[in-house]
Amino acid sequence: MVGEVMAELAELEDPKTREVNEKHGDDHGVNLSKLRALAKRLKTQHELACQLWEADDTAARLLAILISRPKVFERDELDVMLREARTPKVHDWLVSYVVKKNPHCEALRLAWSADPDPVVASAGWALTTDRVTKKPGGLDLAGLLDVIEAEMKDAPDRLQWAMNHCLAQIGIEHAEYRARAIDIGERLEVLKGYPTSPGCTSPFAPIWITEMVRRQVPADTRRGHRVSTAL
């Protein structure tokens, strides 16, 4: 079965898709929509997923993530898998689609956040950002801002991006910390000049926070505000 799946992935390989992916650090040429269609056809097959992961191929590992059973992985298994995840897409999908659904998620969040490997630490920050948004109870948000303020400016790229995302979500979701989050972003200027496509929001935290908060205001209220300002 593994051989058949690997052969099918090879057939889906497209040089142009690989060229685009490699610009983002991902060494595979399979269109993700086609990969998801294959996963949908295979359905959940955890044993096959584990075998595909061991193939040490990016497309195979992405497929493995989609057909696995997130809740059955042991904590040590996920720790090893994260450290084996060589490319950004595998790393991000593993955290988003597997670790967040696993009962060991919180323990891994705490362990990874303190890991000396910045890529591993970025996974811890990604999980922290998820908690900031969905389950902030028990989090020391002021303490997180202290760490971000002290360390984000000089953090390696992947870790810096994850910390910046956390900074933005604190500002977006928690009004009492919004002014401080914006101030930190303005002073550190992380991702201030990041190229942003038309119609997309800049990842520069002050702009990101302001825009997302604006979208939370009901449309009729926003219209009233514009009119009163114009007058």
Side-chain angles (χ1 to χ4, degrees):
M1 186 65 180
V2 175
E4 293 176 7
V5 173
M6 293 299 293
E8 189 162 354
L9 287 172
E11 291 178 2
L12 293 174
E13 177 77 16
D14 176 68
K16 292 183 179 180
T17 300
R18 176 176 284 273
E19 183 179 353
V20 172
N21 288 336
E22 285 181 343
K23 293 179 180 179
H24 299 86
D26 293 308
D27 57 350
H28 76 94
V30 179
N31 178 279
L32 294 182
S33 295
K34 294 180 178 179
L35 187 77
R36 291 181 185 278
L38 176 57
K40 186 176 181 179
R41 176 159 54 82
L42 291 171
K43 300 180 180 180
T44 301
Q45 297 190 54
H46 191 75
E47 183 177 352
L48 176 60
C50 293
Q51 293 171 344
L52 287 171
W53 184 271
E54 292 302 321
D56 194 18
D57 173 86
T58 295
R61 285 185 166 175
L62 292 173
L63 180 60
I65 289 168
L66 294 176
I67 66 172
S68 69
R69 293 187 183 278
K71 293 182 180 180
V72 307
F73 285 109
E74 296 295 335
R75 170 179 168 169
D76 290 346
E77 283 184 285
L78 291 175
D79 184 70
V80 170
M81 290 170 72
L82 185 82
R83 295 172 193 279
E84 290 176 342
R86 297 176 292 102
T87 65
K89 185 65 71 176
V90 173
H91 180 278
D92 293 344
W93 278 25
L94 181 65
V95 172
S96 297
Y97 298 157
V98 177
V99 180
K100 287 181 181 179
K101 300 176 183 178
N102 185 272
H104 301 290
C105 178
E106 181 61 12
L108 289 169
R109 181 186 77 83
L110 294 171
W112 288 343
S113 295
D115 198 279
D117 183 330
V119 175
V120 175
S122 73
W125 278 92
L127 295 174
T128 298
T129 300
D130 192 59
R131 273 205 58 186
V132 165
T133 304
K134 298 176 181 178
K135 298 180 180 180
L139 285 180
D140 179 4
L141 297 178
L144 288 173
L145 290 175
D146 288 343
V147 175
I148 291 169
E149 186 172 18
E151 301 179 10
M152 183 174 71
K153 181 73 172 180
D154 298 318
D157 289 348
R158 293 291 300 279
L159 179 56
Q160 184 184 73
W161 188 276
M163 295 176 81
N164 183 72
H165 190 184
C166 188
L167 172 66
Q169 286 305 126
I170 291 174
I172 293 165
E173 301 291 339
H174 302 278
E176 66 272 30
Y177 294 104
R178 187 168 298 149
R180 186 183 174 198
I182 291 174
D183 177 66
I184 290 172
E186 288 175 341
R187 284 188 290 103
L188 298 187
E189 298 187 334
V190 169
L191 300 177
K192 184 175 182 178
Y194 192 85
T196 305
S197 301
C200 296
T201 302
S202 169
F204 180 47
I207 295 176
W208 190 355
I209 293 168
T210 301
E211 174 59 19
M212 296 309 294
V213 170
R214 183 191 70 82
R215 295 183 189 181
Q216 293 173 358
V217 179
D220 56 347
T221 303
R222 293 203 304 271
R223 284 196 296 270
H225 176 70
R226 287 201 295 271
V227 170
S228 63
T229 300
L231 293 174

